[in-house]
Amino acid sequence: MASELHSAIVSPKGVWWSPVGTQEKRWITIAFIWCLILFAMMPFWHMKGGQNPTGIRSKVDPIEFVKRTDRFIQDYKVGEENGFPVVAPPPGSDIYLLARMWNWSPVLKLKKNAEYTLHLSSADVNHGFGLFPINVNVQVLPGYDYALRVTPNETGDLRVVCNEFCGINHHLMIGKIVVED
């Protein structure tokens, strides 16, 4: 029994296909229109959805960012928590949060309804800034200072998690922001 070989270029002999049915054409048309709608929604959602915060970006030497963060900690340190400095900067100031394997430093103590400029950067590898329970996600890259204008409007404890796998202790990389009256 000989079987004939066929490929994507050489089709099998005989009638092996049938024309596309009306119902299949209809579903292909619906799927294509739906793809166009979703494609058009991406720029709309970016502009109106508020999912991607616009920030202030600049290049920075990672060593320089570590020095800025150290100065920030030295100027506004009010205590320690689990070996990490706790800082309470005045409202309206620039605040710094440094990511490095596998921690966020310092612990920030902020005032409710006060505006701050939060500077994020990494000292070593790519990290992800995720603020729980608020849905904020920002890539934190070494060599870049990503600044966000933030105004905490509720009191409580927020957790900063790394949502970009950064190494073996990635799951332990949890920071803290405290918002007080």
Side-chain angles (χ1 to χ4, degrees), residues 1-16:
M1 184 157 132
S3 64
E4 294 183 33
L5 297 175
H6 59 87
S7 67
I9 298 172
V10 180
S11 63
K13 291 185 178 180
V15 178
W16 55 271

Side-chain angles (χ1 to χ4, degrees), residues 39-71:
F39 182 76
M41 287 296 292
M42 286 191 291
F44 173 76
W45 194 250
H46 177 74
M47 303 303 272
K48 298 290 181 188
Q51 292 289 310
N52 301 317
T54 54
I56 307 154
R57 297 171 190 90
S58 63
K59 286 192 172 188
V60 65
D61 180 18
I63 294 169
E64 181 58 33
F65 193 87
V66 171
K67 287 179 183 176
R68 284 186 209 168
T69 306
D70 289 343
R71 275 194 307 270

Side-chain angles (χ1 to χ4, degrees), residues 122-136:
S122 168
D124 42 39
V125 297
N126 187 18
H127 296 280
F129 173 85
L131 192 58
F132 184 80
I134 300 169
N135 186 18
V136 175

Side-chain angles (χ1 to χ4, degrees), residues 97-114:
L97 192 59
L98 177 66
R100 79 174 103 199
M101 291 190 281
W102 292 280
N103 62 64
W104 296 96
S105 181
V107 173
L108 298 172
K109 213 175 217 186
L110 306 178
K111 292 287 183 192
K112 181 182 170 186
N113 295 327

